[in-house]
Amino acid sequence: MSTTTDQPRIALVTGGSGGIGRAVVKRLAADGYAVAVHYSGNKDRAEETVGEVTEAGGRAIAVGGDIADENAMAAAFDATENAFGGLDVVVNTAGTMLLSPIATLDLADLDRMHRTNIRGTFVVSQLAANRVRTGGAIINLSTSVTRTQLPSYGAYVASKAAVEGISLILARELRGRDITVNAVAPGPTATPLFLEGKSEELIDQLASMNPMNRLGAPEDTAETVAFLAGPARWVNGQTIFTNGGMA
C-alpha cells in the first residue's frame, strides 16, 4: 500500500449512518481507519454508529450535511481533517432510489433523485479530488442494474450510470497523484432503501437472479470497498460488480 505516512488512514463515508454505508464504516474501523460518519437527516443513527465504533476501540466522529450542497459538504470535509489530521479515503454511499416506469415517472422525483445521486456524487468527488492525500482512494457506489435493465429502474439507472462516468473519468484526471478512483456496483442488497415497498414474492425473485440464491448483505459490499480502500492499489478507473454472479 502506498501512503505518505505510517499513521493510521482516515476515511469519510457519506451515508454512513445506515445500510451499506454503516457496514462500510464498521469494516473500515475494524481495519484500523479513523472514520467520519456522514449523515444527512439521521444524526441519532450516525451517533449510534460512532458509539459502536468507539466502544470497539476505534476512532469515529459524526459529520452532517446535504450531500448535494457544496458548502455543507466542504464543512464535513473540514471537520474530518480537523478531527483526524488529514483524509485518505472517501467512500460515497449516499443515494436515493425512486422506482417508476419511465412513461409515468413524476419528474419531481427525477429531479430529487438526480440531485442526490448525480450532483451529490459530483460534489463529493470534486471535494475528494482536492482533499485526499497521496496514496488515497475515492470510491463511489453505482448499481448492478446498469447492466440488467430491469423495468421501472430507468431514472435510477440513469443517475447511477452518471456515477460510473464521473468516477472513471476522475480516475484519469488524477494522473500522477497516486489516488485511485473506482465505482462499486452492488446487486440487490438487503437494506431498508432496497426492501421498501417490495413484496416478498419480488424479493425472492430478485434473490434468485444470482447463483448464490440470496440477496447481498451490506457487509458483502463493504468487503469490496475495504479492498479498494486499502490493498487494491492497482485497481483504478473500474466499476466492480459485487452481486454474487447476477447475469
Side-chain angles (χ1 to χ4, degrees), residues 81-140:
E81 292 174 336
N82 291 338
F84 299 128
L87 186 58
D88 301 293
V89 173
V90 173
V91 185
N92 183 34
T93 77
T96 188
M97 179 172 61
L98 303 170
L99 303 182
S100 168
I102 292 170
T104 56
L105 177 70
D106 186 328
L107 293 181
D109 287 343
L110 177 73
D111 292 341
R112 173 185 161 201
M113 184 161 48
H114 284 197
R115 183 179 186 276
T116 298
N117 295 356
I118 299 178
R119 180 182 169 89
T121 296
F122 201 98
V123 166
V124 171
S125 296
Q126 186 177 69
L127 286 163
N130 288 288
R131 302 287 194 102
V132 168
R133 298 186 290 201
T134 297
I138 301 168
I139 303 158
N140 290 315

Side-chain angles (χ1 to χ4, degrees), residues 5 7 13 20 32 37 44 47 59 72 77 96 101 105 139 145 159 176 186 190-191 193 195 214-215 221:
T5 73
Q7 298 301 313
V13 181
I20 289 173
V37 182
D44 290 343
E47 294 286 4
R59 293 192 298 158
F77 274 70
T96 188
L105 177 70
I139 303 158
V145 189
S159 72
T191 67
L193 174 68
L195 296 173
R214 67 171 176 86
L215 293 179
T221 301

Side-chain angles (χ1 to χ4, degrees), residues 96-212:
T96 188
M97 179 172 61
L98 303 170
L99 303 182
S100 168
I102 292 170
T104 56
L105 177 70
D106 186 328
L107 293 181
D109 287 343
L110 177 73
D111 292 341
R112 173 185 161 201
M113 184 161 48
H114 284 197
R115 183 179 186 276
T116 298
N117 295 356
I118 299 178
R119 180 182 169 89
T121 296
F122 201 98
V123 166
V124 171
S125 296
Q126 186 177 69
L127 286 163
N130 288 288
R131 302 287 194 102
V132 168
R133 298 186 290 201
T134 297
I138 301 168
I139 303 158
N140 290 315
L141 257 67
S142 178
T143 173
S144 286
V145 189
T146 56
R147 69 176 185 181
T148 58
Q149 295 89 45
L150 293 176
S152 82
Y153 281 79
Y156 178 67
V157 164
S159 72
K160 289 302 188 176
V163 168
E164 292 184 19
I166 291 166
S167 305
L168 275 53
I169 288 173
L170 181 58
R172 277 75 184 177
E173 292 178 345
L174 295 183
R175 176 183 292 273
R177 295 272 305 279
D178 190 22
I179 296 171
T180 62
V181 187
N182 293 287
V184 175
T189 303
T191 67
L193 174 68
F194 173 80
L195 296 173
E196 183 179 357
K198 291 184 173 67
S199 67
E200 286 297 325
E201 180 181 6
L202 178 57
I203 291 170
D204 290 343
Q205 177 185 345
L206 292 168
S208 70
M209 291 176 67
N210 69 75
M212 310 298 284

Side-chain angles (χ1 to χ4, degrees), residues 17-100:
S17 62
I20 289 173
R22 185 182 179 94
V24 169
V25 166
K26 295 176 76 171
R27 173 55 192 270
L28 293 181
D31 286 350
Y33 288 73
V35 186
V37 182
H38 165 268
Y39 65 92
S40 179
N42 198 335
K43 182 178 181 180
D44 290 343
R45 181 74 165 165
E47 294 286 4
E48 179 183 322
T49 304
V50 167
E52 292 177 358
V53 170
T54 56
E55 287 170 13
R59 293 192 298 158
I61 61 168
V63 297
D66 176 355
I67 196 72
D69 183 328
E70 64 272 28
N71 295 317
M73 291 311 299
F77 274 70
D78 288 343
T80 303
E81 292 174 336
N82 291 338
F84 299 128
L87 186 58
D88 301 293
V89 173
V90 173
V91 185
N92 183 34
T93 77
T96 188
M97 179 172 61
L98 303 170
L99 303 182
S100 168

